[in-house]
Amino acid sequence: MERALDEARKAALAGEAPIGAVLVGADGAVLAAAGNAPIGTNDPTAHAEILVLREAAKLTRNYRLSGATLYVTLEPCAMCAGAISHARVARLIIAAEDAKGGAVFHGPKFFEQSTCHWRPEVVKGPYGDDSAAMLREFFRARR
């Protein structure tokens, strides 16, 4: 999760929302790490989670990332939750909850829906306060 927080800090320095993600393979090796980048890439889907899933899928030459653990600094949105499900990620570790845009603990609670084909183990991870504080400060400075 510390590496995901580092990625979030890098995203903030680039003017992006400070959200980071790290995907670790079943063997414990880091497959991919990224921060949010929709502004810099002009891509509304360039959330940190999507970027690491894409990179890891290319690296492993498989869109299914079975056995992988995804660390994210903020609760994934519905788009990212859907991608996590399709990628068959085994574990999702979330630092901070997102009552407004999150789709795991809040909103649609994506993985609890009967139409969800794959449900990762979801863990409320460490550094939630740090991640939430980083996001608050980032958006406070923007207002």
Side-chain angles (χ1 to χ4, degrees), residues 73-95:
T73 60
L74 186 66
E75 177 181 351
C77 69
M79 173 184 70
C80 293
I84 291 163
S85 177
H86 282 280
R88 305 296 196 264
V89 170
R91 292 181 71 213
L92 172 62
I93 301 176
I94 301 168

Side-chain angles (χ1 to χ4, degrees), residues 1-22 33-36 48 72-74 130-131 134-135 138:
M1 190 62 78
E2 289 176 6
R3 174 109 183 249
L5 283 169
D6 287 342
E7 294 295 330
R9 287 183 196 96
K10 290 180 200 172
L13 290 173
E16 303 280 358
I19 301 165
V22 175
N36 258 27
V72 296
T73 60
L74 186 66
D130 296 329
S131 179
M134 189 184 321
L135 284 154
F138 177 83

Side-chain angles (χ1 to χ4, degrees), residues 17-71:
I19 301 165
V22 175
L23 189 72
V24 176
D27 63 356
V30 172
L31 296 172
N36 258 27
I39 297 167
T41 61
N42 297 308
D43 179 355
T45 68
H47 291 192
E49 301 94 323
I50 300 295
L51 295 174
V52 298
L53 292 173
R54 285 179 184 158
E55 187 177 332
K58 285 180 186 175
L59 178 70
T60 62
R61 302 180 72 111
N62 193 340
Y63 76 99
R64 293 215 171 146
L65 302 166
S66 303
T69 299
L70 178 60
Y71 295 84

